[in-house]
Amino acid sequence: MSKLRNKLKNYIRNNDQIVCITCYDAAFAKILNDLNVDIVLVGDSLGMVIKGEHNTHNVNMSDILYHVDCVSKYKKNFILMADMPINSFENQEKAVINAKKMLDKEVDIIKIEYQDAHKNIIEKLIFENIPVCGHLGLQPQYVIEKKDMRTYGKDSIEKRKILDQVRTLEEVGVDLILLECVDESLSKFITETTSTPIIGIGSGENCNGQVQVIYDLIGISQKPPKFAKNYLAEKNNIQLAIKSFYNYVKAIDCKKK
Ligand code: KIV
């Protein structure tokens, strides 16, 4: 078992919730490192929070690599995850070339918004020893209309689809699965019935960890999602605000059955 996989599985073995926070620059990376945040994500949410766009659709590899460079300056304790942006993994060859560019910059695991057509791409990445996190549920790279910004997996057809995708991701051997805006009872069922660690955002507390966009946590995002809480409003200090989110996640009691 790889060191990363073992480390991630240890969170489950120790009933230790995973705290994952997005980050795009060195100053916040230092704060997150010093607070012992488990996973730092250079997410393509940078399209909105850094570039001021409406979605993630214009984020490219150069953007991600630039921000990975900034964040990795203070990488000491955390696992560094980065998004494969839109149009960076259309085929196996392109996916491997781009993912390796990330790994060369100290990224530990790449995240992909997984669609059924990507199975052979994920297989190839794993064959090349590139750790993968599969992102399911709300997938911002595929959001076209406002109505796509919703909870996924409420009806039986969508529930089945997400469950099948989780099973496929487990089978091909991803190290982590991220559920974004997935129906709470479904994310609970998924967490209880998979051995891969599950982290969630807007998917309820019954996951093995929680993800948040850093600017949502400190209340400076232009359009924070409904489930986001501004921790800075209570704490008046950025480090304490992030620590407060960290403590909240660590206190969640969610055991795998
Ligand atoms: O890009 C991002 O920040 C993300 C999180 C919202 C999960 O994918």
Side-chain angles (χ1 to χ4, degrees):
M1 192 185 288
S2 77
K3 248 169 109 174
L4 176 70
R5 177 166 299 208
N6 195 39
K7 189 168 179 180
L8 287 167
K9 293 244 181 197
N10 269 342
Y11 288 101
I12 298 179
R13 291 183 195 116
N14 300 332
N15 195 25
D16 181 13
Q17 286 279 311
I18 300 169
V19 179
C20 175
I21 301 179
T22 70
C23 185
Y24 320 95
D25 67 32
F28 277 113
K30 172 144 181 33
I31 293 175
L32 299 184
N33 187 71
D34 293 351
L35 287 172
N36 278 322
V37 165
D38 302 306
I39 304 179
V40 168
L41 167 64
V42 177
D44 61 1
S45 51
L46 70 84
M48 286 85 83
V49 297
I50 302 289
K51 296 173 80 171
E53 294 175 351
H54 294 300
N55 53 41
T56 61
H57 299 183
N58 289 324
V59 176
N60 56 39
M61 276 300 294
S62 318
D63 292 326
I64 297 280
L65 292 174
Y66 171 78
H67 289 282
V68 161
D69 265 338
C70 301
V71 170
S72 63
K73 293 276 187 319
Y74 284 102
K75 176 181 187 283
K76 207 166 155 204
N77 304 322
F78 55 76
I79 294 168
L80 180 55
M81 178 154 76
D83 260 326
M84 292 290 278
I86 199 162
N87 300 330
S88 69
F89 56 96
E90 294 103 307
N91 56 56
Q92 291 182 330
E93 201 190 348
K94 192 169 177 184
V96 170
I97 289 172
N98 282 326
K100 284 191 171 166
K101 286 185 188 162
M102 308 258 207
L103 265 53
D104 286 345
K105 290 187 179 289
E106 288 193 56
V107 168
D108 298 298
I109 178 165
I110 54 108
K111 175 162 83 61
I112 287 191
E113 293 183 13
Y114 177 76
Q115 305 257 314
D116 296 336
H118 297 145
K119 185 176 176 206
N120 71 329
I121 290 168
I122 309 273
E123 277 170 341
K124 177 70 176 164
L125 289 166
I126 291 169
F127 177 77
E128 296 284 340
N129 288 320
I130 298 167
V132 176
C133 169
H135 179 153
L136 300 176
L138 196 160
Q139 297 174 314
Q141 291 175 13
Y142 301 92
V143 165
I144 310 288
E145 302 172 66
K146 216 169 166 194
K147 67 175 171 54
D148 299 330
M149 301 293 287
R150 60 178 175 83
T151 302
Y152 285 75
K154 281 184 158 192
D155 65 65
S156 57
I157 294 175
E158 208 164 77
K159 206 170 267 186
R160 187 69 265 157
K161 183 178 167 192
I162 294 173
L163 270 175
D164 287 346
Q165 290 178 327
V166 167
R167 301 296 168 240
T168 302
L169 287 172
E170 276 225 294
E171 203 183 287
V172 297
V174 298
D175 285 315
L176 190 64
I177 295 175
L178 184 150
L179 302 178
E180 179 165 356
C181 295
V182 166
D183 177 68
E184 287 192 26
S185 61
L186 178 59
S187 66
K188 180 173 191 288
F189 180 75
I190 290 170
T191 305
E192 286 172 354
T193 56
T194 51
S195 60
T196 306
I198 307 289
I199 53 175
I201 173 163
S203 302
E205 290 189 340
N206 291 292
C207 299
N208 303 116
Q210 297 289 324
V211 190
Q212 282 290 325
V213 170
I214 193 156
Y215 294 162
D216 293 345
L217 291 181
I218 56 171
I220 59 166
S221 297
Q222 291 299 311
K223 283 188 187 156
K226 275 191 223 121
F227 54 79
K229 175 175 165 187
N230 174 2
Y231 287 84
L232 191 58
E234 289 167 1
K235 294 292 177 190
N236 218 12
N237 167 301
I238 288 179
Q239 280 88 341
L240 290 179
I242 297 170
K243 181 77 181 157
S244 175
F245 169 70
Y246 177 97
N247 289 342
Y248 153 71
V249 176
K250 290 290 179 189
I252 296 172
D253 186 20
C254 163
K255 291 188 182 69
K256 289 245 191 220
K257 279 195 178 147

